[in-house]
Amino acid sequence: MNNKDHFKFSTGVVAYPVFFVLTIWLVFWFEVRFGFNFSKYGIYPQTLKGLRGVLLSPFIHGDIQHIYHNTIPFFVLSMALFYFYRPIAWKVVLFGILFSGFLTWCIGRPSYHIGASGLIYVLVSFTFFKGVFAKHYRLIALSLLVVFLYGSMIWYTLPIEKGISWEGHMAGLITGVFFALFFRKEIAKPKKYVWEQDDYNEDNDPFLKHFDEDGNFIENLEIEEKLPKINYTYKENKD
């Protein structure tokens, strides 16, 4: 795939993350304003009713601190996703919600699992490993930035703090790695040098034209090529 399809700014780079974040805050505002509690619509593992949370849980948060800590990193990571991986960004987001949610439903404790943190771990994991697999300087730089900003999140994939769904985090991490492998063909490739291209021909190489067959540099090649070709003749002077 052409690099231009990846590294391209568009209104969707900002608009889509903003829309998603505003939707999450709107749901939270509705809960607070009208006294609802949507936690029961989260993922409840190993129950048929709890499957609805696979789709709904990313939009449900317990308190202001929970929603704040989720929406800020999601906004940053999703913007990076839509800028650097625009052709597959929606696939990563939508299938990330489904896969990480279903995996949480499979391995989670018997409790309601809510919040967008599972999707955030999908984005962190996908962005990091995708850059490593790509070997593209821009994507590697993005991977290093993600590690610098969110590397400490790896600890929350372990049961170290009560009340946090480490299963959802682990599910997101695994899903992100899987996506990085699955979408490997979609990785933007760095530009090849002339001699690395499939249609490379030494006879047409503008650099090699400056050297003769023995490897000696030909001076003033460009000037000689621009001079008109003149056929010189002479007549023998018999006087």
Side-chain angles (χ1 to χ4, degrees), residues 46-57:
Q46 290 97 49
T47 65
L48 186 61
K49 194 175 182 180
L51 275 174
R52 62 186 179 185
V54 171
L55 291 175
L56 301 178
S57 62

Side-chain angles (χ1 to χ4, degrees), residues 156-167:
Y156 293 99
T157 59
L158 303 173
I160 61 174
E161 187 172 340
K162 188 177 180 180
I164 291 181
S165 176
W166 66 269
E167 300 95 331

Side-chain angles (χ1 to χ4, degrees), residues 21-31 67:
V21 169
L22 286 179
T23 303
I24 293 174
W25 277 94
L26 181 63
V27 171
F28 182 75
W29 171 85
F30 188 86
E31 283 188 278
I67 192 173

Side-chain angles (χ1 to χ4, degrees), residues 3 9 22 26 33 38 43 50 56 65-67 74-75 77 88 102 109 133 143 156 200 207 209 217 233:
N3 286 2
F9 184 84
L22 286 179
L26 181 63
R33 177 65 179 82
F38 292 153
I43 300 172
L56 301 178
Q65 186 177 8
H66 187 202
I67 192 173
F74 174 80
F75 181 73
L77 292 166
I88 58 173
F102 181 73
R109 292 162 292 172
F133 296 153
S143 296
Y156 293 99
Y200 172 69
F207 178 75
K209 287 183 179 180
F217 181 72
T233 59

